[in-house]
Amino acid sequence: MTAPDVPATTQTLQVQGKTRTLTVVGRTGRQSRPIVLLLHGSHQTAAKLRAFTAHAFERLAADGAAVLAYLDGYKQHWNDARISNRFAARTEEYDDVAFVRDTIDLLVRRHGGDPSRVYVVGFSNGGQMAIRLAHEIPDLLAGAAVISATQPAEENFAPTNPVHHPLPIMLVHGTKDPLVPYGGGMAAMWGLRPRGLGLSAPETARYYAQRNQISAEPVTEQLGRTKGGGTGRGKTSVTALHYRQPGRPPVSLYTIDGGGHTVPGTKRAPFLMGRTDLTFDTVAAVAAFCSLPADAAPPDAFRISS
């Protein structure tokens, strides 16, 4: 689906004496708009994530419906939730949690953002940053979507004083992810530069369901198989696992069987990243899960009621 043509401006913030940058996307709209924060992957920037996803998430900002911001990590990385993190953002003590907190404040003051409806979407290293935010400032968030990242193993988990605050969590992960194993274990760059141990994607979903005090058994939903369009040759399929219980924030895991380290439904990733399923609409799924408006997003296909 083609992304709308919406304006984008680069803005700066001073965070603990360091200059940080972000790209704010969208036209001026109504006040009290939901805020969507996009966190890029390792070796990416805000601009690279926009290109990597063909600007697809900007559908959320069409017609001023939401205020969307892509944040830049320090030297293309985040000080994320893993102890094994050896990026400059960690070694040079960049406080990315403070950066996100200050970004929210900026978007509320200058762009009509609603502080009660802040959603974070993170891919890969950005997904690990979203995990950190979900444990350190969950009270500032209304939900999080984690793509191609899993909960760090206990011995690899960086936050020392996590805040126990239930939060809707959506997960998207490919079973053939060559960087972050769907089945858990050591994340690495094609076998090099190990990034530490993580839980499996299903264990990650169960972890957040327990964190949200959901005791009900999950519901499985088959969402279909590609038919020559998405990745070609019908080699991927999508299954959803939903943890739902009245009065509890929901947790959903979208498993892309045969999928790689990608953002499904946006743009075909480079071959080394694995297959990209182009039939599952990640943007529509995020919009429905978080009750966000989206250009032509199917209204009922992915919506989860708490």
Side-chain angles (χ1 to χ4, degrees):
M1 185 174 292
T2 303
D5 182 17
V6 290
T9 59
T10 299
Q11 302 187 28
T12 61
L13 278 172
Q14 291 297 314
V15 182
Q16 299 182 348
K18 297 176 172 67
T19 301
R20 308 303 303 268
T21 59
L22 62 147
T23 301
V24 181
V25 177
R27 297 180 175 84
T28 301
R30 56 185 172 79
Q31 295 297 302
S32 297
R33 295 179 290 163
I35 293 170
V36 182
L37 307 178
L38 276 295
L39 306 178
H40 61 73
S42 179
H43 299 290
Q44 289 185 331
T45 62
K48 288 181 179 179
L49 180 61
R50 292 183 76 197
F52 185 74
T53 57
H55 296 209
F57 282 96
E58 289 160 35
R59 288 161 47 198
L60 302 175
D63 300 321
V67 54
L68 186 75
Y70 295 84
L71 282 64
D72 277 304
Y74 177 62
K75 293 187 176 180
Q76 303 185 342
H77 292 98
W78 300 102
N79 185 350
D80 66 27
R82 297 170 294 185
I83 289 175
S84 59
N85 185 330
R86 294 294 181 266
F87 304 135
R90 171 68 56 77
T91 61
E92 296 184 34
E93 299 181 346
Y94 271 66
D95 191 340
D96 285 325
V97 176
F99 177 29
V100 169
R101 186 186 293 111
D102 290 354
T103 294
I104 294 170
D105 181 64
L106 172 72
L107 298 176
V108 171
R109 289 187 291 106
R110 294 186 185 175
H111 298 277
D114 182 350
S116 70
R117 291 187 293 165
V118 178
Y119 303 93
V120 60
V121 180
F123 168 66
S124 191
N125 178 211
Q128 286 291 341
M129 187 63 218
I131 287 173
R132 180 162 203 160
L133 297 171
H135 287 83
E136 295 197 7
I137 55 168
D139 52 315
L140 297 185
L141 304 178
V146 177
I147 304 168
S148 298
T150 64
Q151 179 69 21
E154 185 176 358
E155 64 271 24
N156 189 34
F157 191 46
T160 55
N161 295 297
V163 179
H164 293 280
H165 183 92
L167 190 69
I169 299 289
M170 174 181 151
L171 306 161
V172 180
H173 210 116
T175 62
K176 298 296 184 180
D177 188 324
L179 278 69
V180 181
Y182 179 89
M186 182 64 69
M189 301 290 284
W190 296 282
L192 304 173
R193 299 179 183 177
R195 302 284 174 83
L197 295 173
L199 304 183
S200 70
E203 287 171 337
T204 298
R206 190 179 313 118
Y207 167 87
Y208 284 103
Q210 292 172 348
R211 185 175 175 84
N212 289 352
Q213 298 182 324
I214 297 174
S215 58
E217 291 298 312
V219 175
T220 300
E221 178 185 13
Q222 299 295 331
L223 298 180
R225 177 174 291 275
T226 59
K227 296 181 179 179
T231 55
R233 300 185 297 279
K235 290 188 176 180
T236 58
S237 61
V238 184
T239 303
L241 186 71
H242 303 305
Y243 286 89
R244 314 171 181 175
Q245 188 168 321
R248 308 293 187 194
V251 175
S252 288
L253 166 62
Y254 292 96
T255 294
I256 314 300
D257 186 36
H261 196 75
T262 68
V263 182
T266 58
K267 178 182 177 181
R268 186 173 284 108
F271 176 77
L272 287 175
M273 306 290 272
R275 291 194 180 96
T276 305
D277 183 298
L278 296 179
T279 63
F280 175 73
D281 191 337
T282 299
V283 177
V286 169
F289 188 83
C290 300
S291 297
L292 294 167
D295 179 33
D300 300 315
F302 309 107
R303 186 174 301 280
I304 309 301
S305 58
S306 58

